[in-house]
Amino acid sequence: MATLEIIDLHVNVKDKEILKGLTLNVDTSKTIALLGPNGNGKSTLLQTIMGNPNYTITSGKIIFDGKELNNLEVDERSKLGIFLGMQYPSEVPGVNNSDFLKASLNAHLEKPVSLFNFYKLLNAAYERTNIPFEMSNRNLNEGFSGGEKKKNEILQMLVLNPSLVMLDEIDSGLDVDAVQIVAKIIKEEQQKKKGFLIVSHYARLYDLIDVDRAVVLVNGKIAIEGDKDLVKKIDKEGYEWLKQKGVEFQKEEGMNSVSIGTCATKEMLKDK
């Protein structure tokens, strides 16, 4: 079984250090809830693992299945079996959704998929996500609602079939029924021994899936780890109680909030 190793990772965004010596080992058959107050490095960690060039590793290593990722391009990491469901999926005018999915799948295969097998796979993915198949003829995310964009990320995950899935607030923008669908898919994929790193804005998604570990990031480092009960405690009490554990906060906003996963680097990258 593959393992993701993050060793003393330091990461800058626009010359500002966000991750400050983060170390984490992930058995990629397990599911980790990634928690922390706003602006403490959750989304930065996922983007860095995926290879977003806006996130600069200044020291430390990321190793996946024995292979160092630091200098690999995004597509190379994807081919190794890593997937990131984006917090803010981009609209891509002029790129047909099904064409994009087919090209993405073929990039992961030694031999191009046949048209019959591709549409069989695609139809099954649309059925599982409860997205109308007609959406496959739309341009990628163009004119999609927030919820449709998020479900389209899950659809991409099903087509590419990665071994490690990172989801950054995948439930944001989804209605109750859509959250139930996404949670059902995650649980089904968990049964296939896939690994998940999940940042969620609310505890409701964690309540619907199996969580093996909860990891709390504060000031770009891991402050505390625990099981699913840690998620429940933070959802109920926020983060203020961590001060009693000796955790020091450089940023105070969001500490008492039950919102347990938003991205603070978006504004920093807006004019990158």
Side-chain angles (χ1 to χ4, degrees):
M1 191 63 64
T3 301
L4 176 70
E5 301 175 76
I6 302 169
I7 305 168
D8 194 25
L9 190 65
H10 293 253
V11 174
N12 284 7
V13 179
K14 295 186 71 173
D15 299 321
K16 179 177 176 60
E17 189 175 41
I18 304 297
L19 299 185
K20 305 173 183 179
L22 187 147
T23 295
L24 178 66
N25 288 331
V26 180
D27 179 338
T28 52
S29 66
K30 305 296 184 181
T31 295
I32 293 181
L34 199 59
L35 312 173
N38 298 351
N40 280 261
K42 303 181 299 296
S43 293
T44 293
L45 176 60
L46 300 191
Q47 293 283 350
T48 303
I49 293 170
M50 198 68 244
N52 188 327
N54 288 321
Y55 297 75
T56 303
I57 297 176
T58 56
S59 65
K61 293 182 179 180
I62 305 174
I63 300 172
F64 180 70
D65 198 16
K67 188 178 185 67
E68 185 175 328
L69 302 184
N70 288 42
N71 297 317
L72 297 185
E73 299 294 332
V74 174
D75 66 310
E76 295 176 290
R77 302 182 195 211
S78 179
K79 290 173 184 177
L80 289 175
I82 303 173
F83 175 85
L84 173 60
M86 304 291 287
Q87 184 179 6
Y88 302 104
S90 298
E91 295 189 9
V92 187
V95 176
N96 178 273
N97 204 31
S98 62
D99 289 346
F100 167 78
L101 290 168
K102 186 179 180 183
S104 298
L105 178 60
N106 281 335
H108 290 72
L109 301 174
E110 293 183 6
K111 184 179 179 181
V113 64
S114 70
L115 188 61
F116 174 80
N117 286 334
F118 172 68
Y119 275 101
K120 183 178 177 181
L121 173 65
L122 191 63
N123 187 63
Y126 272 95
E127 286 185 354
R128 288 181 67 184
T129 51
N130 199 31
I131 301 174
F133 191 79
E134 295 73 29
M135 296 282 285
S136 65
N137 295 318
R138 301 263 300 271
N139 288 337
L140 181 57
N141 290 326
E142 188 175 20
F144 286 21
S145 68
E148 288 171 338
K149 290 178 180 178
K150 294 300 183 71
K151 288 175 72 176
N152 204 46
E153 294 291 289
I154 294 295
L155 187 141
Q156 290 175 34
M157 177 196 77
L158 293 175
V159 171
L160 296 179
N161 193 31
S163 56
L164 176 63
V165 180
M166 303 184 294
L167 300 177
D168 195 352
E169 293 194 39
I170 198 67
D171 56 338
S172 176
L174 298 182
D175 60 27
V176 173
D177 290 340
V179 171
Q180 294 279 352
I181 291 169
V182 168
K184 180 175 183 292
I185 290 172
I186 291 174
K187 290 199 71 171
E188 291 169 348
E189 297 302 302
Q190 286 177 320
Q191 295 301 311
K192 301 174 184 176
K193 300 300 182 183
K194 292 187 179 182
F196 285 85
L197 265 173
I198 301 178
V199 175
S200 177
H201 190 64
Y202 301 107
R204 60 181 179 174
L205 180 60
Y206 297 130
D207 288 338
L208 296 171
I209 64 175
D210 299 320
V211 173
D212 297 294
R213 290 164 62 196
V215 175
V216 180
L217 268 63
V218 176
N219 300 330
K221 295 182 179 181
I222 295 175
I224 191 170
E225 296 188 44
D227 56 19
K228 196 169 184 177
D229 288 340
L230 181 57
V231 178
K232 295 177 181 178
K233 183 175 179 64
I234 291 172
D235 185 47
K236 182 178 179 180
E237 302 180 25
Y239 294 98
E240 182 70 29
W241 61 273
L242 286 174
K243 286 186 175 180
Q244 300 172 12
K245 300 286 187 181
V247 177
E248 296 182 2
F249 292 82
Q250 293 179 2
K251 293 188 176 184
E252 299 293 323
E253 67 269 20
M255 284 174 50
N256 291 312
S257 172
V258 297
S259 171
I260 56 180
T262 56
C263 174
T265 56
K266 182 188 177 188
E267 294 299 319
M268 297 177 65
L269 290 172
K270 195 185 298 181
D271 55 0
K272 177 75 172 175

